[in-house]
Amino acid sequence: MTVEYKFPEGFWWGTATSGPQSEGAADIDGRKMSIWDYWYKEEPERFFDNVGPQDTSTFYANYKEDIKLLKETGHNSFRTSIQWSRLIPDGVGEVNQKAVDFYNNVIDELIVNDVLPIMNLFHFDMPMCMQEKGGWESREVVDAYAAFAKKCFELFGDRVKHWMTFNEPIVPVEGGYLYNFHYPKVKDGKRAAQVAFHTMLANAKSIKEYKELGQDGQIGIVLNLTPSYPRSTENEADVKAAHIADLFFNRSFLDSSVLGEVPAELVELLKEHDVLPVYEEGDVELIKNNTVQYLGVNYYQPRRIKQKESEYTEDVFMPDMFFDNYEMPGRKMNPYRGWEIYEKGIYDICTNIRENYNNIPFYISENGMGVEGEEKYINENGVVEDDYRIEFIKDHLRWLHKGIEEGANCTGYHLWTFIDCWSWTNAYKNRYGLIALDLETQKRTIKKSGRWFKEVADNNGF
Ligand code: BGP
């Protein structure tokens, strides 16, 4: 392979997954229910093909073999998450030794194979017993999370040097408290603001715990950034609407976790509409003093915005009071997921972080393409020929490379995902992996993109 796009030395090549989406074994060895297990029990029809989270991809049983496949597909780094509901099944108190053994084994096996472990502490998976206490609306849960985080640092921090407090913290706010795609399916802007604020607090508290332990690693957060583009840059109302969408969906967590404060404009806006979250003395200071040391950036799609043109019919506060989504004519779509593909977005993120967030080190912690019906691309040797995925990755890497050349402090690229995994309500509808999973037999087969990815990693570019 001739290398036209060379990446910085030591660049992380790898993939991301999460505990609940890959481990399976949901109800054995002491694990208790998360909101996903509970919701599936209540409403299985909300999940594609009625497939629930109980047996997801069997990494719990197969981790050793799977980690060999990480090597075969060129990984030098890998992110997964520790399930709170596995490690501390009652949310607080007793630690489940079987879970400790499992995560120890996974971490050790990664290290033996020269794959850097990046461990995340929360990937949408609120333990059900904690949800019953109010989930992120409750301060008791914030403290329980901080204690869980501390326990993880104590148990695994001798070997894990890269931690993430949360994956995409805005998503449970959107899904669970605004738009009905996560449990508890509430639609209430005020409660959503409280949930967001408490998540910021939980992030800061766990960072504080980490710093107090004095371990020699780094702690960060994974944010899904969706650059907001106005329909027209010449129309002031469009520009303003896109700015407000950016405040809600990007800057809420980006500013609070990197700069230590929620944008004043956002606070004003919430105040004006009487939906400011309840906070206590010391909270603002705590967030100010416990910012992240690095960032994971998940990038899938941009957000296109126009001024509010449709009538606002909700009887509660919603961000959508201030803007409408805009379907740009001619946009490139991933039809299976319904997300726009806009490669340059990744470069715009590089520029934004460089110019407005002190050029904090970050890596692309997720990017990827979910495709339905990949069986139709299987060749005579049983391999999925996913050239579209290779093109998708290349197109994004070119823009990322340009961002790095211009000074962005980007340290790696992780694809979503390693082995095809279960997705929240979409179950196994769309496949994202470098490795195909046969749901019947659980057989893993490296796709064409997996072989290609190894070459890219070996050459540190393409
Ligand atoms: C991100 C999540 C992942 C993963 C991915 C793909 O938002 O962090 O957990 O699921 O998106 O999206 P989906 O599974 O909804 O297709």
Side-chain angles (χ1 to χ4, degrees):
M1 189 193 261
T2 47
V3 178
E4 194 181 338
Y5 299 92
K6 190 91 186 161
F7 284 80
E9 213 177 304
F11 204 66
W12 296 343
W13 295 103
T15 59
T17 189
S18 74
Q21 290 174 277
S22 64
E23 289 172 12
D27 46 14
I28 64 164
D29 287 354
R31 183 184 175 277
K32 289 197 178 162
M33 267 199 274
S34 77
I35 51 172
W36 295 94
D37 306 285
Y38 177 81
W39 191 17
Y40 179 67
K41 220 174 73 183
E42 294 293 299
E43 288 186 282
E45 67 282 0
R46 287 291 307 261
F47 296 77
F48 184 77
D49 270 352
N50 288 314
V51 175
Q54 65 279 26
D55 301 321
T56 56
S57 309
T58 57
F59 183 71
Y60 191 78
N62 284 312
Y63 72 90
K64 268 202 175 180
E65 292 303 309
D66 287 348
I67 290 171
K68 284 201 188 97
L69 290 173
L70 285 175
K71 283 310 283 181
E72 275 185 59
T73 46
H75 288 64
N76 61 18
S77 48
F78 177 60
R79 169 170 64 108
T80 186
S81 71
I82 296 174
Q83 294 195 65
W84 187 356
S85 50
R86 192 181 292 290
L87 193 77
I88 306 181
D90 294 317
V92 290
E94 213 178 310
V95 172
N96 174 8
Q97 189 55 42
K98 291 225 162 103
V100 177
D101 295 343
F102 169 66
Y103 291 116
N104 269 333
N105 290 340
V106 168
I107 291 162
D108 292 346
E109 195 69 20
L110 287 168
I111 292 172
V112 164
N113 281 284
D114 288 324
V115 178
L116 180 84
I118 302 172
M119 297 308 271
N120 171 33
L121 297 172
F122 192 90
H123 202 122
F124 309 163
D125 54 338
M126 179 65 78
M128 193 56 206
C129 56
M130 295 284 99
Q131 188 62 38
E132 280 160 2
K133 291 196 180 302
W136 293 120
E137 288 180 85
S138 149
R139 282 189 85 98
E140 195 186 332
V141 172
V142 171
D143 290 337
Y145 166 83
F148 156 69
K150 183 177 181 199
K151 188 47 81 184
C152 290
F153 306 145
E154 287 170 347
L155 287 166
F156 311 114
D158 57 330
R159 287 149 295 147
V160 175
K161 301 297 172 192
H162 295 86
W163 292 97
M164 289 296 181
T165 57
F166 283 88
N167 176 77
E168 302 189 348
I170 195 76
V171 170
V173 178
E174 293 175 49
Y177 295 86
L178 293 171
Y179 306 121
N180 182 16
F181 62 91
H182 279 203
Y183 194 78
K185 307 177 294 172
V186 169
K187 195 174 207 179
D188 185 326
K190 191 171 170 73
R191 291 174 66 184
Q194 191 67 56
V195 164
F197 181 71
H198 278 163
T199 315
M200 289 171 194
L201 201 60
N203 171 61
K205 283 198 177 193
S206 59
I207 293 175
K208 183 164 182 275
E209 294 288 1
Y210 189 66
K211 289 194 300 200
E212 280 172 5
L213 286 173
Q215 296 185 349
D216 59 337
Q218 283 190 311
I219 187 156
I221 192 166
V222 173
L223 302 178
N224 53 313
L225 298 182
T226 48
S228 288
Y229 302 101
R231 170 178 53 184
S232 158
T233 49
E234 263 127 60
N235 176 342
E236 234 177 84
D238 283 349
V239 172
K240 184 164 175 227
H243 174 70
I244 293 180
D246 189 42
L247 285 173
F248 276 110
F249 297 114
N250 295 316
R251 291 193 50 197
S252 49
F253 280 98
L254 188 54
D255 286 30
S256 60
S257 57
V258 178
L259 307 176
E261 53 193 28
V262 181
E265 269 179 277
L266 181 57
V267 174
E268 271 315 302
L269 216 137
L270 297 178
K271 215 190 257 173
E272 234 172 76
H273 290 83
D274 199 26
V275 293
L276 205 60
V278 177
Y279 59 99
E280 289 182 7
E281 213 191 312
D283 288 354
V284 171
E285 278 290 285
L286 192 93
I287 290 172
K288 175 112 224 133
N289 295 331
N290 294 285
T291 53
V292 294
Q293 296 161 336
Y294 73 121
L295 267 184
V297 173
N298 292 356
Y299 176 66
Y300 288 93
Q301 57 171 340
R303 193 181 291 275
R304 301 211 182 261
I305 297 291
K306 60 183 178 186
Q307 69 181 99
K308 190 82 198 153
E309 288 173 348
S310 65
E311 199 194 334
Y312 186 69
T313 52
E314 304 288 350
D315 54 359
V316 286
F317 176 92
M318 300 278 279
D320 313 63
M321 283 167 78
F322 305 99
F323 54 79
D324 278 340
N325 292 309
Y326 169 58
E327 289 185 10
M328 186 178 76
R331 65 195 176 143
K332 177 158 56 159
M333 290 296 289
N334 170 352
Y336 313 103
R337 191 60 182 83
W339 286 346
E340 182 183 341
I341 299 175
Y342 182 63
E343 301 86 352
K344 180 172 173 282
I346 213 166
Y347 167 79
D348 291 340
I349 289 172
C350 288
T351 310
N352 184 29
I353 294 180
R354 198 185 72 227
E355 289 179 348
N356 301 312
Y357 296 91
N358 308 324
N359 206 11
I360 187 172
F362 73 98
Y363 79 108
I364 298 298
S365 41
E366 283 181 35
N367 175 230
M369 190 185 184
V371 172
E372 192 173 356
E374 282 200 322
E375 319 75 69
K376 62 177 173 287
Y377 301 105
I378 295 180
N379 68 15
E380 64 283 7
N381 302 317
V383 172
V384 175
E385 294 205 359
D386 52 346
D387 294 275
Y388 43 86
R389 179 164 292 108
I390 295 173
E391 286 314 307
F392 176 99
I393 300 172
K394 275 187 184 167
D395 290 344
H396 283 84
L397 282 176
R398 286 193 193 97
W399 280 109
L400 182 62
H401 188 265
K402 182 171 157 64
I404 295 172
E405 271 190 331
E406 291 177 15
N409 204 350
C410 175
T411 62
Y413 176 87
H414 278 194
L415 185 76
W416 184 268
T417 187
F418 165 39
I419 298 170
D420 288 340
C421 71
W422 186 84
S423 148
W424 313 106
T425 52
N426 276 331
Y428 284 95
K429 175 180 174 286
N430 302 314
R431 304 305 182 93
Y432 284 87
L434 292 175
I435 296 167
L437 178 73
D438 183 322
L439 281 191
E440 305 264 292
T441 61
Q442 292 291 320
K443 182 168 183 257
R444 285 92 158 116
T445 310
I446 299 179
K447 300 180 194 174
K448 185 172 176 184
S449 60
R451 304 274 174 216
W452 173 80
F453 197 77
K454 179 168 187 344
E455 266 184 68
V456 174
D458 288 350
N459 290 307
N460 200 26
F462 67 100

